[in-house]
Amino acid sequence: MARILVIEDVPSVMFSLRMVLEGQGHKVATAGDGAEGLDRLRRDAFDVVVTDIWMPGKDGATVIREGRAAAPGTRFLAITGGSPNSANGASPGASPGAGIESLRQEDFGADRILFKPFERQELIGAIDALTAGS
Amino acid sequence: MRTDPDAVEAALDSARLAVFRHEPDWSGGPGGIAGDLEWIGCRYGVDGIDGQGLAALLDAVTDSDRDSLLGLFALAGGAVRGGEFRLKGAGRDIHLSCDALVESGATGRPLRITGTIQDISERRRFEETLNDTLRAKQTLLAIIDACPVSISVADARQPDVPLVYVNRRFQSLTGYEPAETLGRNCRFLQGPGTDPETAAAIRRAVAGGERIDTRILNYRKDGTPFVNELLLAPIRDGDGAVTAYIGFQSDVTEEARREEAERQRQRMEVMGRMMGGVAHEINNLLQPITLLTQELSDRHPDDADAPYLDMVLDCARKARRIIGDLLAFSRPGTHMAEPVTAGALVAATLPLVCKAVGPGVVVNERTDDAGSALVLRADRTAFAQVLLNLAGNAAAAMGGTGAIAVTLGLEPADGAAPRRARITVADTGCGMEPAVLERAFEPFFTTKPVGQGTGLGLSVAYGLVKEMGGDIALSSTPGAGTVATLLLPEFEPPATA
Ligand SMILES: Cc1cc2nc3c(=O)[nH]c(=O)nc-3n(C[C@H](O)[C@H](O)[C@H](O)COP(=O)(O)O)c2cc1C
Ligand SMILES: Nc1ncnc2c1ncn2[C@@H]1O[C@H](COP(=O)(O)OP(=O)(O)OP(=O)(O)O)[C@@H](O)[C@H]1O
Ligand SMILES: [Mg+2]
């Protein structure tokens, strides 16, 4: 059982993530945007943060950077479906012209990354890998 | 009839004409210069030497012209002699013209020489200024003729404004000799692809005496088209009436081709951005569909309705693949060549090609491993443009139904040529007659009806392939089909020290 914080702005995506993770017996907390997520992270301890990358307000890459400073022991799983206003899906701060190739290479500072829409087993496997040995 | 000597003298004076008689004295030597020169009459009009003898005249002549004067009095020579010489003047030279009649004696030597000397300084000066003017005008004409800009002039006062002057660059640009162009209206450069609207705009400008700067499709004498950047400006007389038009032509075909490539690229970029936005939305919809369906399947493994959930999942996965394909090709940013395997390049482009050719055309792909693994240096968008243009032509040649075969293979190194990826796009369409094949890459060459093709597709493809350091060629059999072949060189990373 792991303590997991999910930061995601689309409610239906959030709901489905929680269903799967709670189904695996994890304890899940949620936040609807980056600022709220960082707040939660500073107050409570989490084993894993699952964060969307493109969100209005604070983007996922920033959440991961600031989150690591606030919670050094926490592992980060980035999930992304591309950006709504560019074809490359890179984070808002990424250099313009970064291609899909560099998207595949870019990790947004996360320990792991999953590309939406990923499958249930990929999610479960990623969480297992991040919590293994802890 | 009697002649009044005073009247003659007055006439001679105003004509600045002197009359002389000379009887050479040969005893002094063969020069015959001795002897007296006698002026006939009292006023001679030849300034400075009135009333003086031959010696004085000889002294007064400029050194360089002295021989010319001596020739008149020489031992040998014809009976009628003439010459010009100048007198040393304080300011300007005095230019004299002399005509002499020589009477020879029994010995054959000149006995008496009678002649006129006329001051022609004014006439000479006038002729010189005239020459200077002419020379200046000719120099100007030569400069205009040699200008590296095509220049043409038409007479606005003649009906239909015919050309009256074209320079050499106009000839080399259009292929027409001046004789073929002068006297004709310049519209003979226009042809089937010329936009009538543009010609009409020029007509209105010329009729209104206005200046116009425009681009118009023209044809050389040999039929090759070029984009003509035409500037027409009226020339007015002192009263402001338009008397002529001057026209400057320049060939901007290459520029037009580059602009078209840039337009295509921008269109694709906008499309790419749009698809990025759509993909983001759809991915966020597919995520809960996928996860919740799988979670339900997992929670109810033995449910009789489980196959329905599998169908939902299957659809979600298909949708994901389509979105992934769309995203793979599109990429923002300007032309950025980057190392990429030929296989990845083709794979990223094919889904887009499939969508572009329409539902009636299937695209069959055959790639071999050696070709796929070759690393090229290419811009993804540019490559997509090339393949789209080739596939578009293939689809059109088959009337929108049929199969296009796309292959990717390895072209081994050959002498100085590096290893290259060989990419072919083959159709089973109408093919091309040799005359069409020969001109297919020409900008604006199209066999499609007006409005259906710009004729720039292959031209743009050619430019982009060259930019990648590659080659493009077409082979075709009329009635059987066409194969377009791209050869793109392997990327050799710069050696690191
Ligand atoms: C000096 C001069 C140069 C011209 N040069 C060109 C030219 O290079 N190419 C062209 O298509 N038209 C050129 N034109 C325009 C045509 O001669 C003509 O004015 C135009 O086609 C519009 O008239 P139209 O509709 O009666 O043909 C030129 C006109 C003038 C007066
Ligand atoms: N695969 C092909 N089969 C038969 N004819 C072809 C093929 N590809 C090109 N052509 C001929 O070459 C001409 C020029 O092709 P190009 O792609 O440059 O322009 P286009 O297709 O006519 O116009 P656009 O590409 O702007 O729609 C075509 O009009 C056609 O006659
Ligand atoms: Mg075409």
Side-chain angles (χ1 to χ4, degrees):
Chain A
M1 205 268 310
R3 293 159 300 168
I4 300 172
L5 171 62
V6 181
I7 308 173
E8 164 67 62
D9 63 313
V10 181
S12 58
V13 175
M14 165 79 86
F15 178 81
S16 63
L17 289 168
R18 209 177 62 207
M19 286 290 282
V20 172
L21 293 174
E22 285 179 349
Q24 295 304 105
H26 298 302
K27 191 167 176 302
V28 176
T30 61
D33 61 52
E36 188 191 337
L38 281 170
D39 262 9
R40 265 321 279 275
L41 189 57
R42 289 190 182 106
R43 273 188 281 120
D44 301 321
F46 292 98
D47 301 303
V48 178
V49 171
V50 178
T51 181
D52 189 19
I53 289 300
W54 198 92
M55 294 179 289
K58 222 165 232 177
D59 65 84
T62 311
V63 167
I64 293 170
R65 201 174 54 248
E66 295 180 10
R68 280 200 194 282
T74 301
R75 317 295 307 271
F76 289 82
L77 170 64
I79 58 175
T80 180
S83 138
N85 44 30
S86 88
N88 62 8
S91 65
S95 63
I100 196 94
E101 231 91 291
S102 56
L103 163 69
R104 298 286 171 198
Q105 284 150 16
E106 181 165 8
D107 57 8
F108 309 101
D111 298 294
R112 279 200 166 230
I113 183 161
L114 287 177
F115 294 95
K116 292 177 184 177
F118 46 84
E119 310 226 337
R120 179 175 175 276
Q121 271 313 321
E122 295 180 85
L123 177 62
I124 293 170
I127 297 289
D128 285 353
L130 289 176
T131 53
S134 62
Chain B
M1 192 184 80
R2 280 288 180 105
T3 315
D4 173 1
D6 285 348
V8 172
E9 202 166 303
L12 291 181
D13 191 30
S14 72
R16 304 180 70 74
L17 194 65
V19 185
F20 68 88
R21 187 187 303 125
H22 173 63
E23 288 176 0
D25 174 6
W26 298 107
S27 61
I33 289 313
D36 203 29
L37 180 98
E38 180 194 353
W39 299 101
I40 309 167
C42 23
R43 299 186 64 82
Y44 300 101
V46 180
D47 301 321
I49 54 164
D50 315 35
Q52 295 182 43
L54 180 59
L57 183 60
L58 266 173
D59 274 349
V61 170
T62 58
D63 298 343
S64 56
D65 289 354
R66 193 159 294 135
D67 284 345
S68 176
L69 174 62
L70 287 175
L72 293 165
F73 301 97
L75 195 53
V80 179
R81 302 180 184 183
E84 287 184 15
F85 47 89
R86 282 163 297 173
L87 296 189
K88 291 178 271 196
R92 264 183 283 180
D93 288 347
I94 296 167
H95 220 115
L96 301 179
S97 170
C98 176
D99 291 292
L101 184 71
V102 180
E103 296 167 49
S104 296
T107 56
R109 294 200 290 216
L111 203 64
R112 185 182 297 125
I113 302 167
T114 316
T116 59
I117 294 181
Q118 191 174 14
D119 182 348
I120 56 168
S121 306
E122 280 310 312
R123 201 198 305 161
R124 277 286 172 272
R125 265 194 286 282
F126 173 72
E127 281 169 4
E128 261 158 37
T129 35
L130 195 68
N131 272 337
D132 285 349
T133 313
L134 278 177
R135 242 194 322 276
K137 202 170 160 187
Q138 269 162 0
T139 310
L140 203 61
L141 274 174
I143 290 170
I144 293 172
D145 196 43
C147 260
V149 178
S150 166
I151 298 171
S152 49
V153 179
D155 188 346
R157 288 164 306 193
Q158 292 185 49
D160 206 29
V161 199
L163 290 173
V164 291
Y165 173 80
V166 295
N167 76 345
R168 227 177 309 156
R169 177 67 192 123
F170 181 95
Q171 293 173 56
S172 62
L173 174 67
T174 64
Y176 289 97
E177 301 287 325
E180 298 170 291
T181 62
L182 298 184
R184 294 171 73 190
N185 182 290
C186 204
R187 76 173 70 83
F188 64 82
L189 290 175
Q190 299 164 11
T194 305
D195 178 15
E197 270 309 306
T198 312
I202 299 176
R203 186 169 53 242
R204 282 192 298 274
V206 171
E210 286 156 22
R211 175 193 165 95
I212 184 169
D213 191 351
T214 186
R215 269 188 193 185
I216 188 164
L217 184 64
N218 277 177
Y219 296 81
R220 285 179 242 281
K221 190 181 177 187
D222 66 8
T224 57
F226 66 100
V227 185
N228 184 353
E229 172 122 14
L230 180 64
L231 172 67
L232 293 182
I235 295 172
R236 299 172 185 280
D237 64 12
D239 302 328
V242 176
T243 55
Y245 254 92
I246 184 160
F248 300 94
Q249 290 83 1
S250 45
D251 181 354
V252 294
T253 309
E254 267 310 309
E255 210 176 309
R257 195 202 311 249
R258 269 196 301 278
E259 282 169 10
E260 173 63 20
E262 177 60 17
R263 255 195 303 281
Q264 280 190 14
R265 196 190 60 72
Q266 278 174 3
R267 266 204 303 276
M268 305 224 320
E269 197 177 308
V270 167
M271 225 162 71
R273 247 199 302 280
M274 226 168 64
M275 285 192 300
V278 170
H280 176 259
E281 293 295 308
I282 306 260
N283 286 340
N284 271 328
L285 294 174
L286 290 174
Q287 188 63 77
I289 295 176
T290 306
L291 286 185
L292 293 177
T293 307
Q294 287 177 328
E295 185 67 19
L296 277 178
S297 293
D298 192 68
R299 290 184 189 187
H300 310 282
D302 302 320
D303 198 296
D305 291 337
Y308 301 153
L309 292 180
D310 289 343
M311 278 176 66
V312 173
L313 200 60
D314 202 40
C315 290
R317 283 179 178 145
K318 278 201 181 108
R320 178 178 64 187
R321 198 167 55 242
I322 290 171
I323 294 297
D325 286 348
L326 282 183
L327 269 186
F329 112 88
S330 55
R331 201 204 62 184
T334 49
H335 277 206
M336 282 209 320
E338 56 189 12
V340 57
T341 64
L345 202 58
V346 172
T349 310
L350 276 182
L352 192 81
V353 168
C354 293
K355 284 180 188 66
V357 293
V361 176
V362 291
V363 179
N364 297 317
E365 175 196 0
R366 208 179 63 240
T367 62
D368 73 24
D369 293 342
S372 298
L374 201 72
V375 175
L376 310 176
R377 198 174 133 76
D379 174 80
R380 192 182 300 274
T381 313
F383 181 80
Q385 261 174 280
V386 173
L387 226 58
L388 278 173
N389 287 349
L390 294 180
N393 286 348
M398 299 189 296
T401 41
I404 297 175
V406 176
T407 72
L408 165 62
L410 180 71
E411 180 84 2
D414 177 18
R419 298 200 303 164
R420 288 178 292 178
R422 166 188 284 273
I423 296 158
T424 66
V425 178
D427 65 65
T428 52
C430 60
M432 284 175 266
E433 295 295 335
V436 173
L437 185 58
E438 196 181 309
R439 300 189 54 195
F441 285 108
E442 273 178 23
F444 300 106
F445 176 78
T446 181
T447 56
K448 294 174 183 167
V450 174
Q452 282 195 23
T454 62
L456 276 172
L458 284 174
S459 178
V460 164
Y462 182 89
L464 293 172
V465 168
K466 287 291 162 190
E467 224 169 86
M468 293 180 220
D471 276 316
I472 180 168
L474 289 173
S475 71
S476 188
T477 313
T482 301
V483 183
T485 304
L486 301 179
L487 287 172
L488 301 177
E490 179 175 29
F491 171 55
E492 285 158 43
T496 43

